[in-house]
PDB file of all heavy atoms in Angstrom:
ATOM      1  N   CYS A   1       0.827  -1.208   0.000  1.00 98.00           N
ATOM      2  CA  CYS A   1       0.000   0.000   0.000  1.00 98.00           C
ATOM      3  C   CYS A   1       0.860   1.256   0.000  1.00 98.00           C
ATOM      4  O   CYS A   1       0.622   2.192  -0.774  1.00 98.00           O
ATOM      5  CB  CYS A   1      -0.924  -0.037   1.218  1.00 98.00           C
ATOM      6  SG  CYS A   1      -2.074   1.351   1.297  1.00 98.00           S
ATOM      7  N   ASP A   2       1.877   1.287   0.856  1.00 98.00           N
ATOM      8  CA  ASP A   2       2.722   2.484   0.957  1.00 98.00           C
ATOM      9  C   ASP A   2       3.504   2.734  -0.321  1.00 98.00           C
ATOM     10  O   ASP A   2       3.671   3.893  -0.749  1.00 98.00           O
ATOM     11  CB  ASP A   2       3.683   2.350   2.136  1.00 98.00           C
ATOM     12  CG  ASP A   2       2.984   2.451   3.483  1.00 98.00           C
ATOM     13  OD1 ASP A   2       1.810   2.876   3.507  1.00 98.00           O
ATOM     14  OD2 ASP A   2       3.605   2.093   4.503  1.00 98.00           O
ATOM     15  N   GLN A   3       3.999   1.661  -0.952  1.00 98.00           N
ATOM     16  CA  GLN A   3       4.705   1.829  -2.231  1.00 98.00           C
ATOM     17  C   GLN A   3       3.817   2.552  -3.240  1.00 98.00           C
ATOM     18  O   GLN A   3       4.245   3.493  -3.918  1.00 98.00           O
ATOM     19  CB  GLN A   3       5.096   0.467  -2.809  1.00 98.00           C
ATOM     20  CG  GLN A   3       6.205  -0.265  -2.109  1.00 98.00           C
ATOM     21  CD  GLN A   3       6.449  -1.604  -2.778  1.00 98.00           C
ATOM     22  OE1 GLN A   3       7.094  -1.685  -3.823  1.00 98.00           O
ATOM     23  NE2 GLN A   3       5.917  -2.673  -2.195  1.00 98.00           N
ATOM     24  N   ALA A   4       2.574   2.110  -3.342  1.00 98.00           N
ATOM     25  CA  ALA A   4       1.664   2.670  -4.338  1.00 98.00           C
ATOM     26  C   ALA A   4       1.223   4.081  -3.987  1.00 98.00           C
ATOM     27  O   ALA A   4       1.213   4.975  -4.848  1.00 98.00           O
ATOM     28  CB  ALA A   4       0.446   1.767  -4.490  1.00 98.00           C
ATOM     29  N   ARG A   5       0.850   4.314  -2.737  1.00 98.00           N
ATOM     30  CA  ARG A   5       0.315   5.616  -2.342  1.00 98.00           C
ATOM     31  C   ARG A   5       1.341   6.720  -2.535  1.00 98.00           C
ATOM     32  O   ARG A   5       1.007   7.817  -3.006  1.00 98.00           O
ATOM     33  CB  ARG A   5      -0.145   5.581  -0.882  1.00 98.00           C
ATOM     34  CG  ARG A   5      -1.389   4.736  -0.625  1.00 98.00           C
ATOM     35  CD  ARG A   5      -2.605   5.304  -1.291  1.00 98.00           C
ATOM     36  NE  ARG A   5      -3.831   4.600  -0.878  1.00 98.00           N
ATOM     37  CZ  ARG A   5      -5.002   4.741  -1.476  1.00 98.00           C
ATOM     38  NH1 ARG A   5      -5.122   5.537  -2.533  1.00 98.00           N
ATOM     39  NH2 ARG A   5      -6.060   4.082  -1.045  1.00 98.00           N
ATOM     40  N   VAL A   6       2.598   6.453  -2.174  1.00 98.00           N
ATOM     41  CA  VAL A   6       3.640   7.470  -2.321  1.00 98.00           C
ATOM     42  C   VAL A   6       3.821   7.846  -3.792  1.00 98.00           C
ATOM     43  O   VAL A   6       3.931   9.027  -4.146  1.00 98.00           O
ATOM     44  CB  VAL A   6       4.964   6.970  -1.709  1.00 98.00           C
ATOM     45  CG1 VAL A   6       6.119   7.885  -2.095  1.00 98.00           C
ATOM     46  CG2 VAL A   6       4.857   6.907  -0.190  1.00 98.00           C
ATOM     47  N   VAL A   7       3.836   6.855  -4.661  1.00 97.00           N
ATOM     48  CA  VAL A   7       3.991   7.116  -6.090  1.00 97.00           C
ATOM     49  C   VAL A   7       2.792   7.891  -6.638  1.00 97.00           C
ATOM     50  O   VAL A   7       2.943   8.887  -7.361  1.00 97.00           O
ATOM     51  CB  VAL A   7       4.161   5.785  -6.855  1.00 97.00           C
ATOM     52  CG1 VAL A   7       4.010   6.001  -8.356  1.00 97.00           C
ATOM     53  CG2 VAL A   7       5.510   5.162  -6.553  1.00 97.00           C
ATOM     54  N   LEU A   8       1.588   7.466  -6.274  1.00 98.00           N
ATOM     55  CA  LEU A   8       0.382   8.079  -6.829  1.00 98.00           C
ATOM     56  C   LEU A   8       0.142   9.495  -6.312  1.00 98.00           C
ATOM     57  O   LEU A   8      -0.551  10.285  -6.960  1.00 98.00           O
ATOM     58  CB  LEU A   8      -0.830   7.188  -6.537  1.00 98.00           C
ATOM     59  CG  LEU A   8      -0.833   5.855  -7.290  1.00 98.00           C
ATOM     60  CD1 LEU A   8      -1.904   4.924  -6.739  1.00 98.00           C
ATOM     61  CD2 LEU A   8      -1.056   6.087  -8.778  1.00 98.00           C
ATOM     62  N   GLU A   9       0.688   9.818  -5.163  1.00 97.00           N
ATOM     63  CA  GLU A   9       0.590  11.192  -4.671  1.00 97.00           C
ATOM     64  C   GLU A   9       1.528  12.127  -5.416  1.00 97.00           C
ATOM     65  O   GLU A   9       1.363  13.349  -5.375  1.00 97.00           O
ATOM     66  CB  GLU A   9       0.900  11.229  -3.179  1.00 97.00           C
ATOM     67  CG  GLU A   9      -0.207  10.623  -2.315  1.00 97.00           C
ATOM     68  CD  GLU A   9       0.209  10.461  -0.872  1.00 97.00           C
ATOM     69  OE1 GLU A   9       1.347  10.877  -0.523  1.00 97.00           O
ATOM     70  OE2 GLU A   9      -0.592   9.910  -0.083  1.00 97.00           O
ATOM     71  N   ASP A  10       2.500  11.554  -6.120  1.00 96.00           N
ATOM     72  CA  ASP A  10       3.517  12.351  -6.803  1.00 96.00           C
ATOM     73  C   ASP A  10       3.262  12.513  -8.287  1.00 96.00           C
ATOM     74  O   ASP A  10       3.696  13.498  -8.883  1.00 96.00           O
ATOM     75  CB  ASP A  10       4.887  11.702  -6.576  1.00 96.00           C
ATOM     76  CG  ASP A  10       6.026  12.487  -7.189  1.00 96.00           C
ATOM     77  OD1 ASP A  10       6.077  13.713  -6.990  1.00 96.00           O
ATOM     78  OD2 ASP A  10       6.868  11.877  -7.872  1.00 96.00           O
ATOM     79  N   MET A  11       2.566  11.574  -8.908  1.00 94.00           N
ATOM     80  CA  MET A  11       2.434  11.608 -10.365  1.00 94.00           C
ATOM     81  C   MET A  11       1.120  10.961 -10.807  1.00 94.00           C
ATOM     82  O   MET A  11       0.468  10.259 -10.035  1.00 94.00           O
ATOM     83  CB  MET A  11       3.626  10.926 -11.038  1.00 94.00           C
ATOM     84  CG  MET A  11       3.831   9.485 -10.646  1.00 94.00           C
ATOM     85  SD  MET A  11       5.504   8.861 -11.046  1.00 94.00           S
ATOM     86  CE  MET A  11       6.427   9.460  -9.616  1.00 94.00           C
ATOM     87  N   THR A  12       0.757  11.226 -12.053  1.00 95.00           N
ATOM     88  CA  THR A  12      -0.493  10.720 -12.619  1.00 95.00           C
ATOM     89  C   THR A  12      -0.204   9.553 -13.549  1.00 95.00           C
ATOM     90  O   THR A  12       0.657   9.646 -14.422  1.00 95.00           O
ATOM     91  CB  THR A  12      -1.212  11.840 -13.400  1.00 95.00           C
ATOM     92  OG1 THR A  12      -1.480  12.929 -12.521  1.00 95.00           O
ATOM     93  CG2 THR A  12      -2.518  11.331 -13.988  1.00 95.00           C
ATOM     94  N   VAL A  13      -0.929   8.462 -13.367  1.00 97.00           N
ATOM     95  CA  VAL A  13      -0.710   7.288 -14.206  1.00 97.00           C
ATOM     96  C   VAL A  13      -1.820   7.156 -15.231  1.00 97.00           C
ATOM     97  O   VAL A  13      -2.954   7.602 -15.018  1.00 97.00           O
ATOM     98  CB  VAL A  13      -0.602   6.006 -13.363  1.00 97.00           C
ATOM     99  CG1 VAL A  13       0.553   6.118 -12.366  1.00 97.00           C
ATOM    100  CG2 VAL A  13      -1.892   5.683 -12.640  1.00 97.00           C
ATOM    101  N   ALA A  14      -1.477   6.522 -16.355  1.00 97.00           N
ATOM    102  CA  ALA A  14      -2.441   6.322 -17.434  1.00 97.00           C
ATOM    103  C   ALA A  14      -3.082   4.948 -17.392  1.00 97.00           C
ATOM    104  O   ALA A  14      -4.093   4.724 -18.057  1.00 97.00           O
ATOM    105  CB  ALA A  14      -1.760   6.527 -18.785  1.00 97.00           C
ATOM    106  N   ALA A  15      -2.509   4.027 -16.618  1.00 98.00           N
ATOM    107  CA  ALA A  15      -3.072   2.676 -16.521  1.00 98.00           C
ATOM    108  C   ALA A  15      -2.492   1.977 -15.300  1.00 98.00           C
ATOM    109  O   ALA A  15      -1.394   2.312 -14.835  1.00 98.00           O
ATOM    110  CB  ALA A  15      -2.780   1.858 -17.778  1.00 98.00           C
ATOM    111  N   PHE A  16      -3.260   1.012 -14.799  1.00 98.00           N
ATOM    112  CA  PHE A  16      -2.797   0.089 -13.768  1.00 98.00           C
ATOM    113  C   PHE A  16      -2.700  -1.301 -14.373  1.00 98.00           C
ATOM    114  O   PHE A  16      -3.526  -1.687 -15.209  1.00 98.00           O
ATOM    115  CB  PHE A  16      -3.787   0.005 -12.597  1.00 98.00           C
ATOM    116  CG  PHE A  16      -3.884   1.242 -11.752  1.00 98.00           C
ATOM    117  CD1 PHE A  16      -5.065   1.978 -11.716  1.00 98.00           C
ATOM    118  CD2 PHE A  16      -2.815   1.657 -10.972  1.00 98.00           C
ATOM    119  CE1 PHE A  16      -5.182   3.103 -10.916  1.00 98.00           C
ATOM    120  CE2 PHE A  16      -2.923   2.790 -10.165  1.00 98.00           C
ATOM    121  CZ  PHE A  16      -4.100   3.519 -10.135  1.00 98.00           C
ATOM    122  N   LYS A  17      -1.713  -2.057 -13.905  1.00 98.00           N
ATOM    123  CA  LYS A  17      -1.706  -3.494 -14.174  1.00 98.00           C
ATOM    124  C   LYS A  17      -1.523  -4.209 -12.845  1.00 98.00           C
ATOM    125  O   LYS A  17      -0.650  -3.832 -12.052  1.00 98.00           O
ATOM    126  CB  LYS A  17      -0.595  -3.908 -15.134  1.00 98.00           C
ATOM    127  CG  LYS A  17      -0.632  -5.430 -15.368  1.00 98.00           C
ATOM    128  CD  LYS A  17       0.570  -5.990 -16.072  1.00 98.00           C
ATOM    129  CE  LYS A  17       0.572  -7.515 -15.906  1.00 98.00           C
ATOM    130  NZ  LYS A  17       1.750  -8.163 -16.498  1.00 98.00           N
ATOM    131  N   VAL A  18      -2.334  -5.218 -12.581  1.00 98.00           N
ATOM    132  CA  VAL A  18      -2.203  -6.039 -11.387  1.00 98.00           C
ATOM    133  C   VAL A  18      -1.867  -7.456 -11.829  1.00 98.00           C
ATOM    134  O   VAL A  18      -2.636  -8.090 -12.551  1.00 98.00           O
ATOM    135  CB  VAL A  18      -3.483  -6.020 -10.533  1.00 98.00           C
ATOM    136  CG1 VAL A  18      -3.354  -6.994  -9.364  1.00 98.00           C
ATOM    137  CG2 VAL A  18      -3.774  -4.620 -10.021  1.00 98.00           C
ATOM    138  N   GLY A  19      -0.704  -7.924 -11.367  1.00 97.00           N
ATOM    139  CA  GLY A  19      -0.266  -9.269 -11.679  1.00 97.00           C
ATOM    140  C   GLY A  19      -0.429 -10.193 -10.485  1.00 97.00           C
ATOM    141  O   GLY A  19      -1.413 -10.093  -9.739  1.00 97.00           O
ATOM    142  N   ALA A  20       0.548 -11.051 -10.268  1.00 95.00           N
ATOM    143  CA  ALA A  20       0.452 -12.060  -9.213  1.00 95.00           C
ATOM    144  C   ALA A  20       0.535 -11.422  -7.833  1.00 95.00           C
ATOM    145  O   ALA A  20       1.376 -10.554  -7.580  1.00 95.00           O
ATOM    146  CB  ALA A  20       1.561 -13.088  -9.376  1.00 95.00           C
ATOM    147  N   LEU A  21      -0.335 -11.870  -6.945  1.00 94.00           N
ATOM    148  CA  LEU A  21      -0.388 -11.380  -5.569  1.00 94.00           C
ATOM    149  C   LEU A  21      -0.014 -12.508  -4.617  1.00 94.00           C
ATOM    150  O   LEU A  21      -0.083 -13.686  -4.966  1.00 94.00           O
ATOM    151  CB  LEU A  21      -1.783 -10.858  -5.247  1.00 94.00           C
ATOM    152  CG  LEU A  21      -2.353  -9.817  -6.226  1.00 94.00           C
ATOM    153  CD1 LEU A  21      -3.750  -9.411  -5.806  1.00 94.00           C
ATOM    154  CD2 LEU A  21      -1.436  -8.612  -6.326  1.00 94.00           C
ATOM    155  N   SER A  22       0.361 -12.129  -3.372  1.00 92.00           N
ATOM    156  CA  SER A  22       0.827 -13.117  -2.400  1.00 92.00           C
ATOM    157  C   SER A  22      -0.148 -13.367  -1.269  1.00 92.00           C
ATOM    158  O   SER A  22       0.023 -14.317  -0.509  1.00 92.00           O
ATOM    159  CB  SER A  22       2.171 -12.675  -1.804  1.00 92.00           C
ATOM    160  OG  SER A  22       3.140 -12.466  -2.797  1.00 92.00           O
ATOM    161  N   SER A  23      -1.179 -12.509  -1.124  1.00 93.00           N
ATOM    162  CA  SER A  23      -2.085 -12.661   0.017  1.00 93.00           C
ATOM    163  C   SER A  23      -3.403 -11.961  -0.254  1.00 93.00           C
ATOM    164  O   SER A  23      -3.496 -11.062  -1.097  1.00 93.00           O
ATOM    165  CB  SER A  23      -1.458 -12.082   1.291  1.00 93.00           C
ATOM    166  OG  SER A  23      -1.361 -10.668   1.209  1.00 93.00           O
ATOM    167  N   VAL A  24      -4.415 -12.367   0.500  1.00 95.00           N
ATOM    168  CA  VAL A  24      -5.719 -11.704   0.443  1.00 95.00           C
ATOM    169  C   VAL A  24      -5.593 -10.256   0.891  1.00 95.00           C
ATOM    170  O   VAL A  24      -6.252  -9.361   0.344  1.00 95.00           O
ATOM    171  CB  VAL A  24      -6.733 -12.463   1.312  1.00 95.00           C
ATOM    172  CG1 VAL A  24      -8.041 -11.690   1.430  1.00 95.00           C
ATOM    173  CG2 VAL A  24      -6.993 -13.854   0.747  1.00 95.00           C
ATOM    174  N   GLU A  25      -4.738 -10.016   1.875  1.00 97.00           N
ATOM    175  CA  GLU A  25      -4.542  -8.652   2.374  1.00 97.00           C
ATOM    176  C   GLU A  25      -3.983  -7.742   1.285  1.00 97.00           C
ATOM    177  O   GLU A  25      -4.367  -6.571   1.185  1.00 97.00           O
ATOM    178  CB  GLU A  25      -3.605  -8.667   3.585  1.00 97.00           C
ATOM    179  CG  GLU A  25      -4.195  -9.305   4.835  1.00 97.00           C
ATOM    180  CD  GLU A  25      -4.232 -10.831   4.775  1.00 97.00           C
ATOM    181  OE1 GLU A  25      -3.521 -11.425   3.929  1.00 97.00           O
ATOM    182  OE2 GLU A  25      -4.983 -11.436   5.573  1.00 97.00           O
ATOM    183  N   GLN A  26      -3.100  -8.281   0.463  1.00 97.00           N
ATOM    184  CA  GLN A  26      -2.602  -7.498  -0.673  1.00 97.00           C
ATOM    185  C   GLN A  26      -3.726  -7.169  -1.646  1.00 97.00           C
ATOM    186  O   GLN A  26      -3.846  -6.034  -2.119  1.00 97.00           O
ATOM    187  CB  GLN A  26      -1.507  -8.271  -1.407  1.00 97.00           C
ATOM    188  CG  GLN A  26      -0.174  -8.329  -0.709  1.00 97.00           C
ATOM    189  CD  GLN A  26       0.875  -9.013  -1.563  1.00 97.00           C
ATOM    190  OE1 GLN A  26       0.592  -9.451  -2.695  1.00 97.00           O
ATOM    191  NE2 GLN A  26       2.091  -9.122  -1.053  1.00 97.00           N
ATOM    192  N   ALA A  27      -4.542  -8.161  -1.950  1.00 97.00           N
ATOM    193  CA  ALA A  27      -5.661  -7.936  -2.864  1.00 97.00           C
ATOM    194  C   ALA A  27      -6.581  -6.844  -2.345  1.00 97.00           C
ATOM    195  O   ALA A  27      -7.027  -5.968  -3.108  1.00 97.00           O
ATOM    196  CB  ALA A  27      -6.435  -9.236  -3.079  1.00 97.00           C
ATOM    197  N   SER A  28      -6.859  -6.862  -1.059  1.00 97.00           N
ATOM    198  CA  SER A  28      -7.733  -5.849  -0.459  1.00 97.00           C
ATOM    199  C   SER A  28      -7.112  -4.471  -0.542  1.00 97.00           C
ATOM    200  O   SER A  28      -7.792  -3.481  -0.871  1.00 97.00           O
ATOM    201  CB  SER A  28      -8.020  -6.210   1.002  1.00 97.00           C
ATOM    202  OG  SER A  28      -8.704  -7.440   1.103  1.00 97.00           O
ATOM    203  N   ALA A  29      -5.815  -4.382  -0.244  1.00 98.00           N
ATOM    204  CA  ALA A  29      -5.134  -3.091  -0.288  1.00 98.00           C
ATOM    205  C   ALA A  29      -5.126  -2.523  -1.701  1.00 98.00           C
ATOM    206  O   ALA A  29      -5.398  -1.328  -1.914  1.00 98.00           O
ATOM    207  CB  ALA A  29      -3.709  -3.238   0.240  1.00 98.00           C
ATOM    208  N   ILE A  30      -4.820  -3.360  -2.684  1.00 98.00           N
ATOM    209  CA  ILE A  30      -4.757  -2.894  -4.072  1.00 98.00           C
ATOM    210  C   ILE A  30      -6.139  -2.506  -4.575  1.00 98.00           C
ATOM    211  O   ILE A  30      -6.303  -1.499  -5.279  1.00 98.00           O
ATOM    212  CB  ILE A  30      -4.119  -3.973  -4.956  1.00 98.00           C
ATOM    213  CG1 ILE A  30      -2.652  -4.159  -4.559  1.00 98.00           C
ATOM    214  CG2 ILE A  30      -4.235  -3.603  -6.433  1.00 98.00           C
ATOM    215  CD1 ILE A  30      -1.984  -5.363  -5.198  1.00 98.00           C
TER     216      ILE A  30
END
């Protein structure tokens, strides 16, 4: 969550891609 939030507060993205996840908690956060 922190990796993503810091980046998204700094710049605008044109697309997201979600690949392999390791936990349900990750899925919820993303």
Side-chain angles (χ1 to χ4, degrees):
C1 183
D2 289 347
Q3 288 179 79
R5 290 294 188 192
V6 169
V7 167
L8 292 169
E9 288 171 3
D10 183 48
M11 59 198 83
T12 301
V13 301
F16 291 114
K17 180 192 165 183
V18 175
L21 307 179
S22 303
S23 69
V24 172
E25 291 76 17
Q26 286 185 0
S28 298
I30 294 170

